[in-house]
Amino acid sequence: QVQLVESGGGSVQAGGSLRLSCAASGDTFRVASMGWFRQAPGKEREEVTCINDDGTTSYAESAKGRFTISKDHAKNTLYLQMNSLRPEDTAMYYCAASRLYLIHSCPEKADFAYWGQGTPVTVSS
């Protein structure tokens, strides 16, 4: 099993920044890909960005140029730096981990077996 604990959420004004963290523990050797997802009220959970073991990253169109995913392997911690935040970024943000490794690609949402409890992000206009 892999345990994931997110932190760093909060309330900011539009244009502000936040840095989310996700600490992984347990059988982390099983993890080949990690990602950030978000779910706004009344909407489906969507992928924001992910990173796999060969360093490949992918971003949703809404996140490109504003968000950056990174991973500190020594600390087993995943980060999401979010800049130029917009009200539409308001959501619960979840960290997720997958045992699936795809060359130069990231798994689908259904292939992420491990999920954190989420950290809320609120962006006011």
Side-chain angles (χ1 to χ4, degrees), residues 90-123:
T90 295
M92 185 70 79
Y93 282 71
Y94 297 90
C95 172
S98 173
R99 291 174 289 183
L100 184 62
Y101 169 72
L102 300 174
I103 297 175
H104 302 317
S105 183
C106 282
E108 298 292 327
K109 181 172 64 177
D111 294 318
F112 283 85
Y114 308 104
W115 293 84
Q117 293 300 307
T119 186
V121 171
T122 302
V123 184

Side-chain angles (χ1 to χ4, degrees), residues 11-16 85-88 90 122-125:
S11 297
V12 296
Q13 290 192 328
L85 282 162
R86 305 166 180 166
E88 53 264 39
T90 295
T122 302
V123 184
S124 58
S125 58

Side-chain angles (χ1 to χ4, degrees), residues 25-78:
S25 60
D27 298 335
T28 56
F29 64 91
R30 297 179 181 273
V31 174
S33 303
M34 295 190 74
W36 289 98
F37 293 75
R38 68 185 181 186
Q39 187 167 19
K43 295 188 177 181
E44 289 190 4
R45 191 171 299 187
E46 62 177 2
E47 181 175 311
V48 177
T49 177
C50 73
I51 185 168
N52 72 5
D53 271 357
D54 65 23
T56 297
T57 59
S58 71
Y59 294 89
E61 282 299 320
S62 60
K64 288 180 180 178
R66 300 188 300 127
F67 294 2
T68 303
I69 190 172
S70 61
K71 186 176 180 183
D72 186 327
H73 290 274
K75 296 182 179 180
N76 282 325
T77 301
L78 184 73

